[in-house]
Amino acid sequence: MRKTYSFQAEGRHPDRVLESVKHDIRKYLKRERRRVLPEGADFWDFDCRIGADKDSAEVVLLSALIAQVDAIAKGGATQAYVEVLARAAQRPPRPEGWVSKREAALAAGLDEHGGADEDEADDTEQEPQP
């Protein structure tokens, strides 16, 4: 998607126009993620550029794209150029011996939130029943 969005629309509040732009970007991302992945790919990755116009557009991470749209709009610009290109990608393999935080916590006897497992705590501190 290569598109120049205007932040001004006659009869519409600028905040609603900005929300409409962000919604359109999110809708495009969702649509692209639904596409069938080619053989050997794990996920859809996105190459993003944003700026006040096409010539001044800078590369940004996908996670910072919406924040950059906000920043451009708050900076007083009347339009923004957004470029989001989807590409199939493959995650690199994890290193030998890698363990997730969740697996490490479960192996240490902790629950998912880092506290002691409730079932184990109840078994050790039960009072005799009359």
Side-chain angles (χ1 to χ4, degrees):
M1 169 180 77
R2 293 180 180 114
K3 193 168 184 178
T4 301
Y5 290 100
S6 176
F7 294 134
Q8 298 174 343
E10 189 174 331
R12 295 183 66 197
H13 193 277
D15 290 344
R16 300 299 74 81
V17 175
L18 178 61
E19 291 300 319
S20 171
V21 168
K22 293 190 289 188
H23 174 74
D24 191 46
I25 293 169
R26 289 182 184 119
K27 186 170 67 170
Y28 173 79
L29 293 171
K30 286 180 186 179
R31 182 175 48 236
E32 287 298 305
R33 285 182 177 131
R34 283 193 308 257
R35 289 181 29 208
V36 176
L37 284 165
E39 187 73 28
D42 294 333
F43 69 106
W44 287 108
D45 197 8
F46 296 93
D47 298 325
C48 306
R49 292 179 54 210
I50 187 167
D53 57 15
K54 186 175 183 174
D55 298 328
S56 67
E58 297 178 0
V59 175
V60 295
L61 295 174
L62 178 62
S63 59
L65 183 64
I66 298 298
Q68 286 291 74
V69 171
D70 279 333
I72 289 173
K74 300 300 182 217
T78 58
Q79 67 180 14
Y81 173 77
V82 178
E83 180 177 299
V84 181
L85 302 176
R87 63 179 167 86
Q90 186 173 17
R91 288 187 176 85
R94 292 188 172 143
E96 188 73 28
W98 183 86
V99 178
S100 71
K101 290 180 182 179
R102 182 174 187 269
E103 291 170 345
L106 292 174
L110 302 176
D111 65 2
E112 293 179 18
H113 305 290
D117 212 4
E118 290 181 18
D119 294 336
E120 292 177 9
D122 290 341
D123 292 341
T124 58
E125 299 177 18
Q126 283 186 347
E127 294 181 18
Q129 299 282 332

